[in-house]
Amino acid sequence: MHALLGENGAGKSTLMNVLYGLYRPDSGRIFLRDRPVTFHSPRDAIRAGIGMIHQHFMLVPPLSVGENIVLGYDPLTRPWLNLRHVEREVHSLSAAYGLDVDPRAIVWQLPVGQQQRVEILKALYRKADLLILDEPTSVLTPAETEALFAIIRRLRADSNTVIFISHKLDEVMAISDTVTVLRGGHVVETVARSDTTPAALARAMVGRDVTFRVAHEREGQGEPILRVEGLAALNDRGLPALRGLSFVLRRGEILGVAGVDGNGQSELAECICGLRPPTAGRVLLGTRDITRLSPRAIIEAGVGFIPADRQRTGLVLDFDIAENLILKRHGQAPFCRPGAMNLPAVERHAADLVERFDVRAPSVRSRVRTLSGGNQQKVVLAREVSGNPAVLVAMQPTRGLDVGATEYVQRSLLAQRERGAAILYVSTELEEVLGLSDRIAVLAQGRIVDIVDAATATRHQVGMLMTGGR
């Protein structure tokens, strides 16, 4: 179990994409079982027994689990596909490794943790014995992460080798045997897990000491700016997701929202931002009812939104950095003039934000899809924060970020709080919620179980509330 650790953009995924045959190296050699190998495509890597589970899953959502697992795999010479035979094989493989996946389930209907298990099954079905897991916990809840670790330990016990790409120090310390740290595309060190500490690994990653918990003063807040009254909404399947939520958010306050993923956090954020119509209740911004306004009108009223999924709902991946940074203001001066975009103004604006938010890219005209996950998140943060919103809804703002980028995002949000912005901070990272919030609203089954003072709340107390207990 070998962990590959490094900042966002350090080269971890690039290195593994070379190993998997997606990229061709400019120089150097790869040895597999003491023999030099050259992979021209992932097919070559798969035939050599390498499987890769990508950070952003490579699944076809409308197809079933069984169809996804066999898709593109052609070891048989039969002229037709016996899907029932495949499903039986997948079921046996799933049971052997404790993966618990229904082969007939449609992929888009599965939660994220189950989709990741499909990716693991896909690699195992292809007889892979060297598995590369690229940021496998970046989209998982703590419970799903523990389940994944149990699967990894079972894989290791069955003589599989696992390369675990991560930037989460606690996970690396919990699961790995050895750790290689990358920084700026170079190997900084390779150490046994037992011979290092989280602080030493963080220093090797970032090149400086890192603050794991950003200190800040919890001061008195201003007047109420956002009121949510009796809010109810349905989820994507038409089932109740919010059941009469009510709370008040004040100027200069960070209200953390804690809860097991899937208990209404996404629906709450979407209702506030105009992306999901509530079935009951209302949302007030100051004295203005914004419940039924369009997302554009809510943006103009002063609400910013950092979505949980930066790639699907936060960015246009085929646009460049400069274009993404003006997505909400592209029709306003100075970026727009009669008949055309004011490109010099757009590029000046982008250059300023790229420098201020430390977005690491060749130029402001680089396509966003070429950036690392952490730098993509910085683009979203820069766009939302630069508009100086009165209310900022931040959904999982540090998901998938390394310790240095997490520290930066937290400091940026605290700066907005000091400016007087009200922040709704939604995260499944309980330590972050406890450390950053002024108050914490705990959600369970679409209801607010309690709102507690973050200065006196404990992890155990909030954890009990998250399960619906008291």
Side-chain angles (χ1 to χ4, degrees), residues 231-271:
L231 199 64
L234 303 177
N235 63 18
D236 290 339
R237 297 185 182 184
L239 301 175
L242 301 179
R243 307 167 190 264
L245 264 70
S246 298
F247 64 86
V248 174
L249 183 59
R250 298 177 177 275
R251 292 188 186 276
E253 178 187 33
I254 297 179
L255 177 63
V257 178
V260 177
D261 207 16
N263 275 260
Q265 297 96 319
S266 297
E267 289 81 3
L268 172 60
E270 290 169 359
C271 285

Side-chain angles (χ1 to χ4, degrees), residues 258-260 263 430 434 440-445 447-450 452 457-470:
V260 177
N263 275 260
L430 190 50
L434 286 165
I440 301 172
V442 186
L443 260 63
Q445 298 181 350
R447 295 184 174 92
I448 292 181
V449 180
D450 201 356
V452 297
T458 66
R459 182 184 178 90
H460 176 72
Q461 175 193 5
V462 177
M464 285 291 295
L465 291 170
M466 285 168 61
T467 64
R470 285 196 172 265

Side-chain angles (χ1 to χ4, degrees), residues 6-12 135 167 310 360 372-375 400-402 405:
E7 288 185 279
N8 300 114
K12 306 183 299 294
E135 303 280 6
H167 51 253
R310 53 182 168 259
R360 300 177 188 181
S372 68
N375 284 299
L401 301 189
D402 60 63

Side-chain angles (χ1 to χ4, degrees), residues 171-220:
E171 294 176 358
V172 167
M173 295 299 291
I175 198 70
S176 64
D177 299 309
T178 53
V179 185
T180 292
V181 181
L182 292 186
R183 187 169 75 235
H186 298 276
V187 172
V188 177
E189 64 180 14
T190 297
V191 294
R193 186 268 321 263
S194 57
D195 294 336
T196 189
T197 64
L201 291 175
R203 192 161 47 248
M205 282 172 59
V206 184
R208 60 176 173 82
D209 290 329
V210 177
T211 303
F212 289 96
R213 198 171 206 180
V214 178
H216 67 285
E217 295 292 329
R218 291 185 169 96
E219 302 172 351

